[in-house]
Amino acid sequence: MRRSAVSAIIFSNSNDRTLKELTENRSMASLPFGGRYRLIDFALSNLVNAGISNIGIITKENYRSLMDHIGSGVYWDLDRKNGGIHVLPPYNKGRTNKGYFEALMRAKDFITRSNCDYVVTCESGIVANIDITALVNQHLESNADITIVYRKASCADKYENTMMLKLDENKKIKELVPANSSAESGNYTLGVAVFSKSALVNIISSDENITAKDFYLDILPKYIDNVNLFGFEHDGFVSVMDCGKSFFNANMELLKKEVRDDLFNKERPIYTKTRDDMPTRYGIYADVSNSFIADGCIIDGTVKNSVLFRGVRVKKGAVVENSILMQGVEVFENAKLKYVISDKNAVISANSPISGSDRKAFILKKNQMI
Amino acid sequence: MTNKKCVAMLLAGGQGSRLGVLTGKLAKPAVPYGGKYRIIDFPLSNCINSGIDTVGILTQYKPLELNDYIGSGKPWDLDRSNGGVHILPPYQGQKGGDWYKGTANAVYQNLGFIERYNPKYVIILSGDHIYKMDYSKMISEHKSSGAACTIAVMQVPYDEASRFGIMNTDSDGAVYEFEEKPKNPKSNLASMGIYVFTFEKLKKYLCEDEANKGSSNDFGKDVIPAMLNNNEKLMAYRFSDYWKDVGTVDSLWEANLDLLNPKIHLNLSDPNWKIYSRTNALPPQHITDSAKVENSLITAGCCVSGKIDYSILYENVTVEEGASVEYSIVMPGSVIKKGANVKYSIVAENVVVGENANVGVEPDYNGGDKWGITVIGAGISVGKNAKIGAKQMITENVSEGEKI
């Protein structure tokens, strides 16, 4: 396929509202995850690993941290002369994107101007290493207009805010319904799809779609009979970020080797901004087990079943268990943390005990001092 | 081309033969250091932190890995449209060409590169040392003293002085004599191999040196003595922070473990003077339930289930359950299998140490020269239950149960 045959669009604010404490001042796309990443790294890396280098990012609000993270796009090899990263900020007289569809309409110029035949669209609240090359290939082979990525699951627990696909034996979509938690097993959408450019342009040019709020819910069902809609199965690890609990669980899943091997597939690496930290330093009082730890930390206390981002400090006698500590968090002597999600640069002073529970983690805000 | 105040020329062509198998496939400046760095990261980061954005890297020996590592210079912010980093290998001209005959000849052959930037000063660096230094201070001393050449020096213990090039200076720091490895040193100011030249003078003496058929074309042996003979003003610039030549196996091992020594201050992520490196896209490290890690540095992509003490694990190292690594450095991609013990060793890249193998031994202070650091070369496989003694340098696979 020629170099510019496929362009892509990433929605940076998908499901922002469902993770309120952590996305108060940032978009879903820039939510820190897994020790050194931000959620958008997964979408960007998936696209780049499929050779896609013309990517539009639709932003709505709170996108300062996202811009800071992406910079020129160099970390994803997206500082290109042709294509590269295009941030598509809201511009419509103060109105911000209401939903997926309206956002896409705003991106219409980016899509129509781009010299592509296919457009991949990605939500940013999904953690998965998806083989986009295989998705595009299947789309071409099946002569589809739209191909939607799904994950088979035995229950809808992790997929409550997604759609369920009913497929025929050729993976053609027969029915598209909102997932509901009573469903026993099904094919759940992951917010990733590939469109033939003409199909996408037709849909977003139609006046009757203009009031629709949700693309999957309000628009796509109308096209089932006259557009070739197919499903593409992703059978690897998936986590959908739709509440604090899912964020906590998805991070903890990284402690499993099979999850890491799938998500950080050596053939399709996940790229992120580098920080030039030293390796992590373990002191003579360090006692660390079952933890996922980024570079630049200095650990002289106890860390168990936790995820530590870059530059975290755990001092002598401090105990961190079942917790997620984002970049630059400092835990002073003899503080005790259990089931805590701490946002960036929070400071936990000596001897403080902080605990959440396995049902609801205690959340510390950015720069908070305790 | 805009004029540059100072251009750096980095001598990176040396073979580093005293590092043996560690430089079998790569030039010494490309040897990994400190978990995620390579030796050349130090002069390159020092350059950019000192405001020098034009660097010529003189390569000759096994340049593939080094060229690949430098790439466009992006990790050091040296990808510039004006200046930036340039790899300068020996080349052929109309009248033929030659390998670099010595350090001075390497720079002589690239005078054309320097002239494009028309700099006032040229700083000559080498890719063999671990240190953080603000070259801009040295350049400004050079400028205010009006010297033709300023040489960075540091004090070494007198009993070691005869291993170095020693500068004998007046009380104001002017060099009146240079002695290469003197038997009876008159001073303990050792040359660090860092020179700031006024470019006109450098050019003059390099051309004269080239015309002198008897010269070995070396800065220390030929150019500096020639300048002294001509009564040029040479000044010593004193440096007193951490500096280590990593030319031998023992010094490379020591320089790594110095990062764990609380008495030595070498912070490589100081926001005011970061050491930059090219990094791979790797996930964070995983320390498992069975791991016991203390007093060590561990970096991205590692998976540790064994015991690690006073050691440095580079990228993507795996240490399985029941294995131990002590007082050692393990370079990228190596695997230490179940029950294996590695101590007082340097394990190079992509080595597999088989189950229950033993590599290296504790120091024997009465054993004289027999004890030393054990080195396993890149890509070597050490079989199950093998035993490798002190000071060995392993260049071929070791079979199961073998004792060396």
Side-chain angles (χ1 to χ4, degrees):
Chain A
M1 213 180 318
R2 71 190 164 85
R3 177 181 168 191
S4 52
V6 189
S7 288
I9 300 249
I10 297 174
F11 299 88
S12 66
N13 290 82
S14 25
N15 288 333
D16 275 4
R17 305 263 181 266
T18 59
L19 262 175
K20 202 164 160 283
E21 295 102 326
L22 298 170
T23 55
E24 219 165 37
N25 295 308
R26 58 165 78 93
S27 60
M28 181 63 96
S30 54
L31 182 64
F33 178 82
R36 61 179 304 213
Y37 303 97
R38 300 211 183 221
L39 288 188
I40 198 168
D41 293 336
F42 295 90
L44 283 175
S45 303
N46 287 339
L47 294 167
V48 166
N49 287 333
I52 299 171
S53 60
N54 185 39
I55 301 175
I57 299 175
I58 297 183
T59 59
K60 179 167 71 175
E61 54 198 18
N62 292 337
Y63 52 89
R64 201 248 350 129
S65 62
L66 181 64
M67 302 283 283
D68 195 31
H69 181 67
I70 290 172
S72 67
V74 65
Y75 303 105
W76 302 269
D77 249 347
L78 285 169
D79 54 332
R80 298 287 102 195
K81 193 165 164 183
N82 295 306
I85 284 195
H86 304 263
V87 175
L88 308 169
Y91 60 87
N92 200 349
K93 292 177 184 161
R95 284 173 63 207
T96 51
N97 305 332
K98 279 202 190 106
Y100 188 102
F101 182 70
E102 205 183 347
L104 258 186
M105 282 179 43
R106 301 233 174 108
K108 200 170 148 189
D109 280 354
F110 169 76
I111 295 164
T112 50
R113 269 184 215 160
S114 126
N115 177 27
C116 66
D117 303 323
Y118 308 96
V119 180
V120 176
T121 63
C122 302
E123 299 283 349
S124 48
I126 306 279
V127 176
N129 190 324
I130 299 173
D131 185 351
I132 302 285
T133 309
L135 165 68
V136 174
N137 287 344
Q138 189 201 300
H139 181 80
L140 290 171
E141 281 160 18
S142 59
N143 250 329
D145 295 308
I146 304 171
T147 305
I148 297 170
V149 180
Y150 66 87
R151 176 78 168 90
K152 258 187 199 155
S154 55
C155 68
D157 273 4
K158 282 167 76 186
Y159 305 96
E160 278 167 30
N161 297 319
T162 70
M163 302 286 284
M164 200 169 83
L165 304 177
K166 300 227 166 111
L167 306 166
D168 74 7
E169 66 283 4
N170 295 321
K171 294 195 173 168
K172 193 164 192 305
I173 299 173
K174 292 284 159 211
E175 209 184 329
L176 194 75
V177 294
N180 74 56
S181 45
S182 64
E184 283 181 351
S185 71
N187 304 317
Y188 297 97
T189 60
L190 304 179
V192 178
V194 58
F195 294 74
S196 292
K197 184 175 171 182
S198 55
L200 181 61
V201 171
N202 279 342
I203 293 173
I204 57 182
S205 304
S206 159
D207 285 343
E208 61 179 273
N209 289 330
I210 208 148
T211 54
K213 287 202 177 97
D214 188 281
F215 191 76
Y216 287 84
L217 198 62
D218 304 330
I219 314 270
L220 278 185
K222 289 199 279 184
Y223 288 84
I224 279 200
D225 295 329
N226 45 20
V227 167
N228 272 327
L229 274 179
F230 281 81
F232 169 85
E233 186 182 356
H234 167 69
D235 59 3
F237 173 79
V238 169
S239 183
V240 182
M241 298 293 149
D242 54 7
C243 59
K245 178 84 186 149
S246 64
F247 175 78
F248 185 83
N249 289 345
N251 275 284
M252 291 304 162
E253 294 255 37
L254 297 175
L255 298 175
K256 298 178 187 156
K257 185 172 188 311
E258 64 277 13
V259 170
R260 292 198 307 274
D261 288 349
D262 179 86
L263 195 56
F264 304 111
N265 181 335
K266 291 203 166 83
E267 299 298 311
R268 300 195 303 266
I270 304 300
Y271 303 95
T272 189
K273 182 176 177 177
T274 55
R275 236 180 63 130
D276 296 286
D277 287 298
M278 270 183 90
T280 280
R281 167 88 192 250
Y282 296 85
I284 49 174
Y285 301 104
D287 178 6
V288 181
S289 63
N290 193 34
S291 294
F292 197 51
I293 298 171
D295 275 355
C297 295
I298 299 179
I299 301 171
D300 213 8
T302 300
V303 179
K304 280 189 176 130
N305 308 328
S306 295
V307 175
L308 268 50
F309 285 64
R310 292 181 275 202
V312 167
R313 304 277 186 271
V314 180
K315 308 266 173 172
K316 187 179 161 186
V319 178
V320 177
E321 283 178 24
N322 301 88
S323 294
I324 298 165
L325 307 183
M326 292 187 195
Q327 189 175 306
V329 169
E330 284 191 83
V331 184
F332 280 87
E333 285 81 359
N334 304 314
K336 304 259 182 297
L337 272 58
K338 277 184 186 170
Y339 293 101
V340 171
I341 298 175
S342 174
D343 207 326
K344 284 171 71 175
N345 302 321
V347 177
I348 297 98
S349 56
N351 307 311
S352 323
I354 306 173
S355 323
S357 72
D358 59 348
R359 262 170 291 144
K360 192 166 187 344
F362 189 96
I363 297 184
L364 286 172
K365 289 188 177 173
K366 192 172 169 180
N367 304 326
Q368 195 172 345
M369 312 256 285
I370 289 229
Chain B
M1 214 69 72
T2 337
N3 293 352
K4 296 280 181 185
K5 184 181 157 204
C6 182
V7 166
M9 297 298 271
L10 207 168
L11 301 161
Q15 183 181 349
S17 52
R18 286 175 301 158
L19 288 173
V21 64
L22 293 171
T23 50
K25 286 179 183 141
L26 41 80
K28 182 161 141 191
V31 168
Y33 169 82
K36 56 186 295 191
Y37 306 94
R38 303 214 185 207
I39 298 168
I40 200 168
D41 288 331
F42 288 82
L44 286 179
S45 301
N46 286 338
C47 277
I48 195 70
N49 289 334
S50 305
I52 298 169
D53 64 7
T54 307
V55 183
I57 302 183
L58 301 148
T59 62
Q60 178 153 287
Y61 174 80
K62 302 257 181 194
L64 177 65
E65 181 112 0
L66 185 61
N67 292 353
D68 206 31
Y69 186 70
I70 301 298
S72 67
K74 181 80 197 171
W76 306 270
D77 237 348
L78 286 169
D79 54 330
R80 300 297 169 110
S81 38
N82 176 28
V85 70
H86 297 256
I87 303 262
L88 305 170
Y91 57 90
Q92 292 248 311
Q94 273 182 330
K95 292 178 192 159
D98 228 327
W99 292 103
Y100 293 149
K101 288 178 278 176
T103 51
N105 175 260
V107 177
Y108 169 80
Q109 289 200 36
N110 289 286
L111 282 172
F113 166 78
I114 303 173
E115 276 166 342
R116 294 171 65 168
Y117 300 98
N118 193 23
K120 214 127 169 84
Y121 309 106
V122 174
I123 184 163
I124 308 289
L125 304 167
S126 72
D128 305 356
H129 306 129
I130 303 296
Y131 66 113
K132 299 200 298 182
M133 180 175 180
D134 187 348
Y135 302 139
S136 70
K137 285 188 186 158
M138 183 174 170
I139 294 164
S140 82
E141 275 206 13
H142 173 82
K143 193 177 165 186
S144 59
S145 73
C149 176
T150 301
I151 301 157
V153 295
M154 69 181 297
Q155 283 185 308
V156 295
Y158 266 100
D159 54 348
E160 286 178 29
S162 48
R163 288 173 37 217
F164 294 90
I166 295 295
M167 299 287 161
N168 298 323
T169 63
D170 296 334
S171 56
D172 64 350
V175 179
Y176 65 85
E177 190 182 21
F178 171 77
E179 291 181 292
E180 183 74 27
K181 298 182 181 154
K183 282 214 177 88
N184 300 304
K186 290 179 209 138
S187 111
N188 65 343
L189 294 177
S191 166
M192 298 162 65
I194 301 166
Y195 310 95
V196 174
F197 285 93
T198 300
F199 181 46
E200 288 163 44
K201 298 282 183 186
L202 175 70
K203 203 167 145 184
K204 174 174 182 276
Y205 283 95
L206 285 182
C207 292
E208 284 178 19
D209 180 65
E210 189 60 21
N212 175 3
K213 293 292 169 229
S215 171
S216 59
N217 305 117
D218 185 87
F219 275 104
K221 289 192 194 102
D222 306 292
V223 177
I224 300 300
M227 291 175 85
L228 281 170
N229 282 341
N230 268 1
N231 292 321
E232 291 286 358
K233 186 170 183 185
L234 267 63
M235 296 294 289
Y237 175 79
R238 283 177 183 242
F239 180 77
S240 53
D241 287 340
Y242 184 86
W243 178 85
K244 195 148 210 157
D245 183 299
V246 285
T248 63
V249 166
D250 286 2
S251 64
L252 178 66
W253 178 81
E254 263 173 41
N256 269 277
L257 296 193
D258 279 349
L259 289 169
L260 298 170
N261 185 341
K263 288 179 192 151
I264 289 174
H265 184 72
L266 185 61
N267 177 5
L268 307 184
S269 47
D270 174 1
N272 296 319
W273 208 272
K274 260 192 190 181
I275 302 302
Y276 301 98
S277 64
R278 185 179 290 281
T279 50
N280 297 311
L282 293 171
Q285 56 200 278
H286 185 229
I287 309 296
T288 72
D289 272 336
S290 58
K292 173 101 182 81
V293 178
E294 60 182 56
N295 213 9
S296 291
L297 283 173
I298 301 179
T299 192
C302 288
C303 185
V304 178
S305 307
K307 183 188 172 203
I308 314 293
D309 190 10
Y310 222 87
S311 293
I312 300 185
L313 304 189
Y314 292 56
E315 292 176 342
N316 272 335
V317 166
T318 303
V319 179
E320 295 184 355
E321 212 172 324
S324 71
V325 176
E326 294 162 289
Y327 295 89
S328 293
I329 64 179
V330 184
M331 291 185 179
S334 289
V335 180
I336 314 297
K337 297 272 193 189
K338 282 185 186 131
N341 295 302
V342 175
K343 54 184 93 159
Y344 294 92
S345 294
I346 297 177
V347 176
E349 303 99 304
N350 303 312
V351 166
V352 177
V353 176
E355 286 179 26
N356 302 312
N358 279 294
V359 175
V361 290
E362 274 110 17
D364 171 6
Y365 296 107
N366 303 319
D369 277 351
K370 281 184 199 143
W371 184 82
I373 297 300
T374 300
V375 181
I376 314 281
I380 296 289
S381 165
V382 176
K384 274 189 205 172
N385 303 313
K387 202 169 160 56
I388 298 172
K391 214 176 178 178
Q392 296 296 324
M393 189 167 283
I394 305 298
T395 54
E396 278 169 36
N397 288 348
V398 178
S399 42
E400 197 176 324
E402 201 177 336
K403 290 192 170 50
I404 296 177

